[in-house]
Amino acid sequence: MENRRPLIAGNWKMYKTCPEAVDTIAKLKELVDGVTTVDIMITPAFTALSQVAETVAGSNIQVGAQNLSWHDEGAYTGEISGSMIVSAGCTHVIIGHSERRQYFNETDATVNQRIMAAIRHKLVPVFCVGETEAEREADATCSVLDKQVTDGLQGIALEDLADLVIAYEPVWAIGTGKTATSEQAQEVHHYVRGQLEKAYGAGFAQSVRILYGGSVKPANIAELMSMADVDGALVGGASLDAETFSQIVKY
Ligand code: PEP
């Protein structure tokens, strides 16, 4: 039997100044104090990482970044490296979020390089995959996910994937208020786990956490989490408010 501890992660995207981030995280810390059955992780903007990490130090909340460079250092103006986010207090990093794929030319190849960089820096990669509405309507969900997962993990040794987290986020459900039904989420999570089993074996497939993301809120988290292959959630909009996010954490 698998031993996949649920992970509820909040993606703050490009919201919150430093004081706003500290205010929200301080409230969240109080609200989720004593929660021991799930892992909790928040990804603030780069600018607020250090202060948020200092605020949650010693608590049950972990901190992640929303992206990282695939370079370790160098003349890459505007980029942020793995060691920089580690030194700011991060343990996790989101990679390949659909907003980066959509608006910032992220490709499966650059996702692959970023996952390798995360592994080099001992960060937990939260690797996002998901199909667009057009791809789902064209019945291409499985082939899109196959390519994203295969290309994203290309050339990475199994032993380096031990901490990997996958986030299935159907693009049509992100920020739209449309949530995949729990059955739709389960079907895709089960499919992805099956593909991982073919590629890496049952041991890995049964241990890897697959989060669902896309308009998760207090009203739908329990049903999503009741699905056998849903191991947590990546929450955007509903993570911005401490009270709302705490209700999701305590589903
Ligand atoms: C996300 O940003 O990863 C996300 C799922 O957003 P939302 O919850 O707002 O749909």
Side-chain angles (χ1 to χ4, degrees):
M1 173 59 188
E2 65 274 5
N3 178 26
R4 301 191 301 265
R5 191 175 151 82
L7 168 61
I8 306 289
N11 174 16
W12 284 356
K13 311 194 186 197
M14 199 177 76
Y15 292 101
K16 298 190 190 290
T17 60
C18 292
E20 288 166 351
V22 168
D23 183 60
T24 307
I25 203 75
K27 283 185 187 139
L28 182 65
K29 189 173 129 176
E30 276 187 29
L31 288 164
V32 299
D33 185 34
V35 172
T36 54
T37 48
V38 302
D39 289 341
I40 306 166
M41 195 271 285
I42 292 287
T43 67
F46 288 124
T47 46
L49 285 176
S50 287
Q51 282 174 272
V52 166
E54 278 162 24
T55 309
V56 298
S59 79
N60 55 353
I61 302 176
Q62 294 178 294
V63 179
Q66 297 172 19
N67 193 16
L68 87 171
S69 173
W70 58 81
H71 297 292
D72 288 341
E73 66 176 0
Y76 302 108
T77 302
E79 290 293 286
I80 308 276
S81 73
S83 51
M84 290 171 185
I85 61 175
V86 168
S87 73
C90 290
T91 49
H92 294 62
V93 59
I94 293 176
I95 295 173
H97 191 281
S98 66
E99 287 153 12
R100 299 225 51 94
R101 293 178 189 259
Q102 226 176 326
Y103 307 129
F104 302 101
N105 302 321
E106 188 79 78
T107 65
D108 293 330
T110 55
V111 164
N112 177 247
Q113 293 197 57
R114 291 186 210 278
I115 294 176
M116 290 187 190
I119 292 167
R120 281 199 301 280
H121 293 281
K122 306 205 175 342
L123 288 155
V124 175
V126 180
F127 168 29
C128 301
V129 295
E131 81 288 2
T132 62
E133 189 153 37
E135 288 163 343
R136 177 163 278 259
E137 279 168 8
D139 234 352
T141 300
C142 292
S143 60
V144 166
L145 292 171
D146 281 345
K147 182 169 171 5
Q148 289 177 341
V149 172
T150 306
D151 293 1
L153 300 181
Q154 185 77 43
I156 304 178
L158 177 59
E159 63 263 28
D160 288 332
L161 294 177
D163 292 331
L164 180 78
V165 173
I166 292 181
Y168 167 58
E169 301 206 301
V171 180
W172 48 270
I174 297 183
T176 58
K178 288 189 204 171
T179 319
T181 63
S182 45
E183 289 77 19
Q184 282 172 322
Q186 168 58 24
E187 192 182 0
V188 175
H189 284 220
H190 183 71
Y191 177 77
V192 170
R193 203 179 298 287
Q195 295 302 96
L196 291 171
E197 180 169 340
K198 281 188 204 154
Y200 299 100
F204 173 73
Q206 287 306 317
S207 66
V208 69
R209 288 184 290 184
I210 307 180
L211 314 184
Y212 170 77
S215 300
V216 172
K217 36 190 181 282
N220 58 24
I221 182 69
E223 197 181 330
L224 286 161
M225 291 303 291
S226 72
M227 297 290 124
D229 288 292
V230 176
D231 306 314
L234 181 53
V235 185
S239 71
L240 294 170
D241 177 70
E243 174 62 39
T244 307
F245 187 67
S246 74
Q247 288 172 24
I248 295 173
V249 167
K250 296 176 186 173
Y251 67 92

